[in-house]
């Protein structure tokens, strides 16, 4: 599974950054996550996560809120 590091702005509902890492690059993914957290620690509206998925398409299904607007999610329900 690939590793995905996302930085998401809660108040704006916007994905700020997205980084994809190969399965063998878990340490790099964790390092990127930590760097993003350190850089955004003063802004409580920024959420930084590290997720694993087979593909980005799978990730957009399981964690749609990071990739779609609230209107898109409601419309798809």
């Amino acid at each position: 599974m690939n590793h995905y590091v996302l930085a998401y702005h809660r108040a704006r509902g916007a994905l700020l950054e997205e980084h994809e890492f190969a399965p063998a690059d878990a340490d790099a993914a964790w390092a990127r996550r930590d760097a993003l957290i350190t850089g955004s620690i003063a802004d409580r509206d920024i959420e930084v996560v590290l997720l694993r998925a087979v593909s980005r398409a799978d990730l957009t299904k399981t964690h749609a809120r990071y990739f779609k607007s609230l209107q898109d999610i409601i419309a798809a329900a």
Side-chain angles (χ1 to χ4, degrees), residues 27-63:
D27 289 341
W30 280 105
R32 185 65 189 143
R33 175 196 165 271
D34 291 346
L36 286 173
I37 288 173
T38 300
S40 64
I41 202 156
D43 190 339
R44 293 184 179 264
D45 281 329
I46 296 177
E47 176 181 348
V48 178
V49 297
L50 187 149
L51 304 167
R52 290 179 45 194
V54 172
S55 68
R56 187 181 187 281
D58 288 345
L59 194 64
T60 61
K61 290 177 189 172
T62 60
H63 293 80

